[in-house]
Amino acid sequence: ANMARKRKSQVEKVRDFLFTGKKLTAKTAISRFGVYRLAAIIYILRNTFNMNISTDNTKGYAVYSLTTS
């Protein structure tokens, strides 16, 4: 393994996860990636990476998923 290669940032981890087509909640983001401010990362992905991410609040908390059209 090449140690010089930097570890994936939290933004990259969330981006790659969403690209798999799975849904992501704040709870999952904390347990899987150690991400405590998922909303901030979603904001970056939407604005910097122009990702079309939908938010579903019907369960009483945000569930994010990549919108593929």
Side-chain angles (χ1 to χ4, degrees):
N2 182 4
M3 298 303 288
R5 192 172 165 275
K6 75 174 180 64
R7 291 187 315 118
K8 272 212 255 185
S9 71
Q10 292 185 333
V11 171
E12 289 172 312
K13 286 177 186 172
V14 172
R15 182 191 65 192
D16 290 351
F17 182 88
L18 289 169
F19 271 129
T20 67
K22 297 193 183 86
K23 296 181 189 302
L24 187 59
T25 64
K27 186 187 284 186
T28 304
I30 292 168
S31 63
R32 287 188 67 141
F33 312 121
V35 168
Y36 285 89
R37 294 190 60 221
L38 181 58
I41 288 179
I42 295 296
Y43 179 88
I44 292 167
L45 292 176
R46 281 178 174 148
N47 292 276
T48 305
F49 293 88
N50 292 312
M51 286 174 64
N52 189 5
I53 299 166
S54 63
T55 308
D56 176 5
N57 285 305
T58 55
K59 293 193 174 81
Y61 53 87
V63 179
Y64 300 103
S65 58
L66 194 57
T67 305
T68 50
S69 47

